[in-house]
Amino acid sequence: AVGDIDKVLIFYRRLFGNEVLKDSRTPRRYLRLGPCYMAIAPAGAGEARRIDHFSVGIETFDEAGMKRTLENAGLKVRESNVGLFVLDPDGNSIQIWADQSWKQLSNAAPEAGPTQEALFRPRGMHHVGIQVSDMAQATAFYRKLFGEPTPGQGTPPQPTFQAGETKILLYNPAPNKPAKIDHFSVLVDNFDASSATEVLKSLGAKAELSKQGTLNEFFDPDGIRLQVTFPGQTYGSPTKK
């Protein structure tokens, strides 16, 4: 959920490419990230610019059967014309729909844009990071959706859930930090961190190299936090060329 959607599209097209669909009834756009995509829409009046929700694609999606399964697990389900929605204990919205749903965006058509080389070459979504208010409660909820987690970083260890090719990371409650979908990370081909940082700054993003010379994260012009991760990347060592 963004401010000026036209300016934001210039930013994200430059980052990830020009395969964009335009909704026929609203300003919403969809920008493809390999087998995944970003939905970009203006924030509502009085609403924060933020990551509004994330979506999980299910192979051979059976909406009625999935709704029964979720309700039998004790979850309240909202139906829509783009799948099902549930809320986690902190009110974060999770969409559950068909896999490869890019092909099912029936009210959208390709939108032309500037022809330019993308800064990153997206392969898909690497992970979504969620800041929670109660780790035990959040873990119990996400276990119903994704099964048993594996321990991640942090003290105590923070759980990591696997949703297809994408990880869902839960962060331990932090003082004075609100519970929310904190950031997302796009899986990309390897890139030159220093050059990418300079391009991001020229586009109005807040970006700095880490002490190790890596580009660990940045903030788009609306202040939304995101990351790019290349295969084999570790955040405590220099970028491989």
Short mmCIF file of all heavy atoms in Angstrom, two decimals, residues 3 18 31 33 42 54 82 87 109 121 129 140 145 150 175 179 183 193 196 217 224-225 232 235 238:
data_model
loop_
_atom_site.label_atom_id
_atom_site.label_comp_id
_atom_site.label_asym_id
_atom_site.label_seq_id
_atom_site.Cartn_x
_atom_site.Cartn_y
_atom_site.Cartn_z
N GLY A 3 2.01 5.48 -1.55
CA GLY A 3 1.52 6.84 -1.74
C GLY A 3 1.21 7.11 -3.20
O GLY A 3 0.13 6.78 -3.69
N ASN A 18 9.81 -4.98 -16.25
CA ASN A 18 8.68 -4.27 -16.82
C ASN A 18 7.48 -5.17 -17.11
O ASN A 18 6.60 -4.79 -17.86
CB ASN A 18 9.11 -3.55 -18.10
CG ASN A 18 8.09 -2.51 -18.53
OD1 ASN A 18 7.60 -1.74 -17.72
ND2 ASN A 18 7.79 -2.50 -19.83
N LEU A 31 3.27 -6.55 -10.52
CA LEU A 31 4.61 -6.61 -11.12
C LEU A 31 5.18 -8.00 -10.87
O LEU A 31 5.30 -8.44 -9.73
CB LEU A 31 5.51 -5.54 -10.52
CG LEU A 31 6.85 -5.30 -11.20
CD1 LEU A 31 7.33 -3.86 -10.95
CD2 LEU A 31 7.93 -6.26 -10.70
N LEU A 33 7.50 -11.22 -10.38
CA LEU A 33 8.79 -11.57 -9.78
C LEU A 33 9.00 -13.07 -9.98
O LEU A 33 8.76 -13.87 -9.08
CB LEU A 33 8.80 -11.24 -8.28
CG LEU A 33 8.49 -9.80 -7.88
CD1 LEU A 33 8.29 -9.69 -6.38
CD2 LEU A 33 9.59 -8.86 -8.35
N PRO A 42 -2.64 2.15 -4.12
CA PRO A 42 -2.58 3.29 -3.22
C PRO A 42 -3.14 2.94 -1.84
O PRO A 42 -4.14 2.22 -1.74
CB PRO A 42 -3.45 4.35 -3.90
CG PRO A 42 -3.57 3.90 -5.32
CD PRO A 42 -3.50 2.42 -5.30
N PHE A 54 0.37 -10.84 2.60
CA PHE A 54 1.09 -11.70 1.67
C PHE A 54 0.17 -12.85 1.28
O PHE A 54 -0.82 -13.13 1.96
CB PHE A 54 2.42 -12.21 2.25
CG PHE A 54 2.29 -13.18 3.40
CD1 PHE A 54 2.27 -14.55 3.18
CD2 PHE A 54 2.24 -12.74 4.71
CE1 PHE A 54 2.17 -15.46 4.22
CE2 PHE A 54 2.15 -13.63 5.78
CZ PHE A 54 2.12 -15.00 5.53
N VAL A 82 -10.69 -13.45 -5.16
CA VAL A 82 -9.27 -13.79 -5.35
C VAL A 82 -8.80 -14.70 -4.22
O VAL A 82 -7.74 -14.53 -3.63
CB VAL A 82 -8.39 -12.53 -5.45
CG1 VAL A 82 -8.59 -11.83 -6.79
CG2 VAL A 82 -8.65 -11.57 -4.29
N LEU A 87 -6.74 -13.92 9.16
CA LEU A 87 -5.94 -12.98 9.93
C LEU A 87 -5.13 -13.72 10.98
O LEU A 87 -5.65 -14.62 11.65
CB LEU A 87 -6.83 -11.94 10.62
CG LEU A 87 -7.67 -11.02 9.73
CD1 LEU A 87 -8.52 -10.10 10.61
CD2 LEU A 87 -6.79 -10.21 8.80
N ALA A 109 -4.68 -6.31 -17.49
CA ALA A 109 -4.08 -6.42 -18.82
C ALA A 109 -2.67 -5.84 -18.77
O ALA A 109 -2.37 -4.98 -17.94
CB ALA A 109 -4.93 -5.68 -19.85
N ARG A 121 17.55 -9.25 -11.23
CA ARG A 121 16.83 -10.26 -12.01
C ARG A 121 16.11 -11.19 -11.04
O ARG A 121 16.72 -12.07 -10.45
CB ARG A 121 17.81 -11.05 -12.89
CG ARG A 121 18.48 -10.18 -13.95
CD ARG A 121 19.35 -11.00 -14.90
NE ARG A 121 20.01 -10.17 -15.88
CZ ARG A 121 19.45 -9.75 -17.01
NH1 ARG A 121 18.21 -10.11 -17.29
NH2 ARG A 121 20.13 -8.99 -17.86
N GLY A 129 9.29 -11.46 6.38
CA GLY A 129 9.58 -11.33 7.80
C GLY A 129 8.42 -10.67 8.53
O GLY A 129 7.91 -9.63 8.10
N ALA A 140 1.81 -20.91 17.08
CA ALA A 140 0.69 -21.85 17.03
C ALA A 140 -0.19 -21.59 15.82
O ALA A 140 -0.67 -22.53 15.16
CB ALA A 140 -0.13 -21.74 18.32
N LEU A 145 -1.04 -23.43 9.46
CA LEU A 145 -0.98 -23.22 8.02
C LEU A 145 0.14 -23.99 7.36
O LEU A 145 -0.03 -24.55 6.27
CB LEU A 145 -0.80 -21.71 7.73
CG LEU A 145 -1.93 -20.77 8.10
CD1 LEU A 145 -1.58 -19.36 7.67
CD2 LEU A 145 -3.24 -21.19 7.48
N THR A 150 11.27 -24.68 11.63
CA THR A 150 12.65 -24.95 12.03
C THR A 150 13.16 -23.74 12.79
O THR A 150 12.70 -22.62 12.56
CB THR A 150 13.55 -25.21 10.81
OG1 THR A 150 13.48 -24.08 9.93
CG2 THR A 150 13.09 -26.44 10.05
N PRO A 175 10.93 -4.27 21.84
CA PRO A 175 10.37 -3.11 22.54
C PRO A 175 10.04 -1.97 21.57
O PRO A 175 10.83 -1.64 20.70
CB PRO A 175 11.49 -2.71 23.50
CG PRO A 175 12.34 -3.93 23.67
CD PRO A 175 12.26 -4.64 22.35
N ALA A 179 3.71 -4.90 15.95
CA ALA A 179 3.53 -6.16 15.23
C ALA A 179 3.05 -5.85 13.82
O ALA A 179 2.10 -5.10 13.63
CB ALA A 179 2.52 -7.04 15.96
N HIS A 183 8.95 -6.93 6.43
CA HIS A 183 9.63 -6.76 5.14
C HIS A 183 9.45 -8.00 4.29
O HIS A 183 8.96 -9.03 4.75
CB HIS A 183 11.13 -6.49 5.33
CG HIS A 183 11.90 -7.68 5.82
ND1 HIS A 183 11.99 -8.05 7.14
CD2 HIS A 183 12.64 -8.61 5.15
CE1 HIS A 183 12.73 -9.13 7.27
NE2 HIS A 183 13.13 -9.51 6.07
N ALA A 193 26.84 -5.15 -5.31
CA ALA A 193 26.17 -4.44 -4.22
C ALA A 193 26.44 -2.95 -4.25
O ALA A 193 25.54 -2.13 -4.02
CB ALA A 193 26.58 -5.05 -2.88
N ALA A 196 24.54 -1.29 -7.14
CA ALA A 196 23.10 -1.33 -6.87
C ALA A 196 22.72 -0.29 -5.83
O ALA A 196 21.68 0.37 -5.93
CB ALA A 196 22.70 -2.73 -6.41
N GLU A 217 19.66 -4.67 3.05
CA GLU A 217 18.28 -4.22 3.02
C GLU A 217 18.26 -2.77 2.55
O GLU A 217 19.29 -2.09 2.52
CB GLU A 217 17.64 -4.31 4.40
CG GLU A 217 18.24 -3.35 5.40
CD GLU A 217 17.57 -3.41 6.76
OE1 GLU A 217 16.83 -4.37 7.02
OE2 GLU A 217 17.76 -2.48 7.56
N ILE A 224 9.03 1.67 2.99
CA ILE A 224 8.74 0.25 3.14
C ILE A 224 10.05 -0.53 3.03
O ILE A 224 10.83 -0.32 2.10
CB ILE A 224 7.73 -0.22 2.09
CG1 ILE A 224 6.39 0.47 2.33
CG2 ILE A 224 7.56 -1.74 2.13
CD1 ILE A 224 5.36 0.27 1.23
N ARG A 225 10.30 -1.40 3.99
CA ARG A 225 11.55 -2.15 4.07
C ARG A 225 11.50 -3.38 3.16
O ARG A 225 10.50 -4.11 3.15
CB ARG A 225 11.80 -2.59 5.51
CG ARG A 225 13.10 -3.35 5.73
CD ARG A 225 13.18 -3.83 7.17
NE ARG A 225 14.39 -4.62 7.39
CZ ARG A 225 14.51 -5.54 8.32
NH1 ARG A 225 13.49 -5.80 9.12
NH2 ARG A 225 15.63 -6.22 8.47
N GLY A 232 22.75 -18.53 -2.00
CA GLY A 232 24.00 -18.73 -1.26
C GLY A 232 24.45 -17.51 -0.48
O GLY A 232 25.50 -17.57 0.15
N TYR A 235 24.86 -13.00 5.26
CA TYR A 235 24.91 -11.58 5.58
C TYR A 235 26.14 -11.18 6.40
O TYR A 235 26.37 -10.01 6.64
CB TYR A 235 23.63 -11.18 6.34
CG TYR A 235 22.43 -11.19 5.43
CD1 TYR A 235 21.50 -12.21 5.49
CD2 TYR A 235 22.24 -10.19 4.49
CE1 TYR A 235 20.40 -12.23 4.64
CE2 TYR A 235 21.15 -10.20 3.63
CZ TYR A 235 20.23 -11.23 3.73
OH TYR A 235 19.15 -11.25 2.89
N PRO A 238 31.52 -10.91 2.82
CA PRO A 238 31.45 -10.04 1.64
C PRO A 238 30.68 -10.66 0.49
O PRO A 238 30.57 -11.88 0.37
CB PRO A 238 32.94 -9.85 1.28
CG PRO A 238 33.68 -10.15 2.53
CD PRO A 238 32.89 -11.21 3.23
#
